[in-house]
Amino acid sequence: MISRKDAIWSIGYDGNTAIVDKAARNRYGRLTTMQLAEAGFFRAAAASALYNESDTELADVTEVYNRISGSSYPVDAIPRLFGVARVNADKIKVL
């Protein structure tokens, strides 16, 4: 299992290897799910909520996104909207 930092800043996968954005991970990897959402990093925030297996965090991310964007997405649409899912990767490749 990869770390939370690596999971939320993964930009893709090659088999069971997560490809990780090194600059973003180093700069923003310590932000909480809500801090990510409030900063506008919605993809990372949604990935963080999924990594934490927290329905509450995902609902909070949805609320922030809908408020800022003026939309009304349901909670279950957010992972699909940002292209994130719970993924088990064994290795990472940092770029």
Side-chain angles (χ1 to χ4, degrees), residues 55-88:
D55 293 336
T56 302
E57 286 183 5
L58 192 56
D60 292 343
V61 170
T62 303
E63 186 276 321
V64 172
Y65 180 75
N66 285 335
R67 177 173 35 89
I68 290 173
S69 69
S71 57
S72 58
Y73 285 99
V75 173
D76 63 341
I78 295 299
R80 193 175 54 235
L81 178 67
F82 294 109
V84 296
R86 289 185 177 109
V87 177
N88 288 329

Side-chain angles (χ1 to χ4, degrees), residues 12-93:
Y13 295 88
D14 182 13
N16 68 341
T17 302
I19 310 301
V20 177
D21 180 338
K22 180 181 181 179
R25 180 190 68 179
N26 290 345
R27 186 165 183 183
Y28 304 109
R30 293 186 180 163
L31 297 180
T32 66
T33 301
M34 287 309 298
Q35 289 171 329
L36 290 165
E38 291 290 344
F41 296 116
F42 295 108
R43 184 187 181 286
S48 177
L50 291 177
Y51 184 87
N52 293 335
E53 297 182 354
S54 174
D55 293 336
T56 302
E57 286 183 5
L58 192 56
D60 292 343
V61 170
T62 303
E63 186 276 321
V64 172
Y65 180 75
N66 285 335
R67 177 173 35 89
I68 290 173
S69 69
S71 57
S72 58
Y73 285 99
V75 173
D76 63 341
I78 295 299
R80 193 175 54 235
L81 178 67
F82 294 109
V84 296
R86 289 185 177 109
V87 177
N88 288 329
D90 296 324
K91 300 180 269 184
I92 64 165
K93 184 174 190 176

